[in-house]
Amino acid sequence: MSGHVELRPGAYADSVTLLQVSRAVQGVDGVAAAQVAMATPLNVEVLTQMGFDVPSDATPNDMVVAIRLAVDGSLEAALAGVDAALRDANRRTTEATDVAPHRTTATALRELDGGIVLVSVPGASALVEAMDALDAGRDVMIFSDNVPLPEELALKRCAAERGLLVMGPDCGTAVVGGLGLGFANAVEPGPVGIVAASGTGCQQLLALLSHAEVGVTSALGVGGRDLSTDVRGISTREAMRRLDADPAVELIVVVSKPPAADVADEIRAYAATLGTPVELALLGPGQPDLTAAAEAVLTRLGREVPRWPVTGRVAPATTGRFLRGLFVGGTLCDEAMLVAADALGPVRSNIPLSPDLALGPDLTAAAHTMVDFGDDALTAGRAHPMIDPTLRLDHLARTAADDDTAVVLLDLVLGHGTEPDPGAPLATTVAAIRQPVVIAVVGTDADPQDLDRQVRMLAEAGAEVHLSNAGASRRAIELTEGVR
């Protein structure tokens, strides 16, 4: 095979567009691998790990085209494929419409009535757009990540003064008025209202409750830092207040990554002042996992707790020493670490439970490890791994090649906004892995990816598939303990 790398200075396309271009080029006859991306430090690192020699003078303002040809491949045909895919992407985004687009958020808001403003721009630019929305008296959902903490605080304090709600930053999932926003699962309306300082934690609850035939009226994301010592639950309180005022909500559930302990106490005290019952699903040492929280919700509603489905069965590991978890969901990664730490001891991670357990930049260690590929540091200049799985798939192959790996634990998150067929590339990689693989598939029967089909693909590839992430984690621990 031969490789080709070239820089295109000043050329720009967003990460999702370049993902589509890369996939189109990979389909060209004679192309063994292709990556077209902006030359951010993270993307350059990924390309280097793939064996491409990226010029040292590459900058984030350069588009890098990296192609590996099969023996019979034509570089001319491959580059023509790149150009054609870029032209097609540009044509789709510049087709004429009857209505000229607004140039700023402020001018758009002067002409449009009502509704939530959704901000999805690079994090460094989110403050201005979100503040324009608040100035217009609108609630705002900030999908953008990498928003500086002081800017989040400024937005939320401004919103609190005006009785408005800031959802986010890094608010990946919401259900408002029956409409899913971001990475939302398709669910029926029902008696539960969710406040979520966690995107995939919210999605796990949506999936489990849907399996138990319990619907959700609203799911208001507030951003993963909202229950931190700095932010102190500003948006969480406003979201709880709104759900308490909604007559359709019979039970409020607050779900979060591990919160600051004193802030969690403040939220418990605030919950006691509301007229609507509140179930707290706040992850942390000694706290119930998300599946236990879903079961508590069902019990409080007087509903039967079902058996959570498991498809496929893997044998215990026979080699290796360590459990290795690779996640697209940060809260699912947190939950798995909390479950595993009780049984296996310390777990190293890029989002560690304590600073002394932090992984280095190569995301590897001679230890039990859990990696969140959706962390801000791994999405700078790249699409989220629920959209672009390249980074995780590459790391998965290297993890499986490590003789110290005993068991592999993964998640796969379905819903609107995510990959249209995420199980297919994952199943291909899983089929080549010799170690036991356990996967939590988070989704509902109404999701566009077809939950049953995704589960079946992964099971046929040799994985054991769970709907409950906590259940998958415990099974992976059991398999790891077997070999130990």
Side-chain angles (χ1 to χ4, degrees), residues 173-190:
T173 300
V175 179
V176 181
L179 177 66
L181 301 173
F183 299 129
N185 300 98
V187 296
E188 295 291 327

Side-chain angles (χ1 to χ4, degrees), residues 452-467:
D452 287 344
R453 177 174 171 273
Q454 299 296 319
V455 169
R456 188 169 60 252
M457 273 194 297
L458 296 170
E460 290 173 352
E464 182 173 311
V465 186
H466 295 243
L467 182 67

Side-chain angles (χ1 to χ4, degrees), residues 135-158:
D135 286 343
R138 307 292 184 82
D139 296 330
V140 58
M141 174 178 170
I142 305 174
F143 188 79
S144 312
D145 57 9
N146 288 292
V147 175
L149 177 60
E151 296 182 5
E152 176 176 348
L153 277 168
L155 287 166
K156 289 186 171 178
R157 288 168 177 165
C158 176

Side-chain angles (χ1 to χ4, degrees), residues 322-325 327 333-359 365 367-371 409 477:
F322 302 123
L323 172 60
R324 298 302 177 36
F327 291 85
C333 184
D334 275 328
E335 181 180 45
M337 284 193 290
L338 288 163
V339 173
D342 284 342
L344 300 178
V347 179
R348 302 282 299 276
S349 178
N350 62 328
I351 55 166
L353 297 176
S354 61
D356 59 304
L357 295 174
L359 284 172
H368 303 296
T369 59
M370 304 274 183
V371 179
L409 175 62
I477 291 164

Side-chain angles (χ1 to χ4, degrees), residues 189-380:
V192 176
I194 297 175
V195 179
S198 155
T200 51
C202 178
Q203 289 188 267
Q204 173 73 114
L205 287 179
L206 291 173
L208 294 173
L209 293 177
S210 177
H211 181 73
E213 299 183 350
V214 171
V216 173
T217 294
S218 298
L220 305 179
V222 295
R225 294 186 300 212
D226 198 70
L227 295 185
S228 66
T229 301
D230 295 300
V231 185
R232 309 203 70 82
I234 295 174
S235 289
T236 297
R237 288 184 180 81
E238 175 62 18
M240 293 173 70
R241 183 192 68 78
R242 293 185 179 205
L243 293 180
D244 184 46
D246 185 346
V249 175
E250 299 175 18
L251 179 65
I252 298 170
V253 183
V254 180
V255 59
S256 174
K257 301 175 181 179
D262 59 334
V263 179
D265 290 339
E266 292 173 5
I267 295 302
R268 289 188 183 93
Y270 182 72
T273 69
L274 302 179
T276 306
V278 178
E279 182 73 32
L280 297 178
L282 309 179
L283 289 177
Q287 298 300 311
D289 57 56
L290 297 178
T291 301
E295 292 170 351
V297 168
L298 295 173
T299 299
R300 292 186 71 162
L301 292 173
R303 306 293 184 90
E304 183 179 352
V305 176
R307 291 178 62 87
W308 307 115
V310 179
T311 305
R313 186 76 173 176
V314 295
T318 57
T319 60
R321 297 183 291 164
F322 302 123
L323 172 60
R324 298 302 177 36
L326 288 74
F327 291 85
V328 300
T331 301
L332 302 179
C333 184
D334 275 328
E335 181 180 45
M337 284 193 290
L338 288 163
V339 173
D342 284 342
L344 300 178
V347 179
R348 302 282 299 276
S349 178
N350 62 328
I351 55 166
L353 297 176
S354 61
D356 59 304
L357 295 174
L359 284 172
D362 64 352
L363 304 178
T364 63
H368 303 296
T369 59
M370 304 274 183
V371 179
D372 169 24
F373 286 90
D375 182 59
D376 282 3
L378 298 180
T379 57

Side-chain angles (χ1 to χ4, degrees), residues 99-131:
V99 180
H102 293 281
R103 296 183 62 84
T104 67
T105 301
T107 58
L109 290 170
R110 284 198 289 268
E111 296 184 17
L112 302 175
D113 295 325
I116 293 174
V117 174
L118 173 61
V119 173
S120 181
V121 297
S125 304
L127 174 66
V128 173
E129 308 302 331
M131 194 61 78

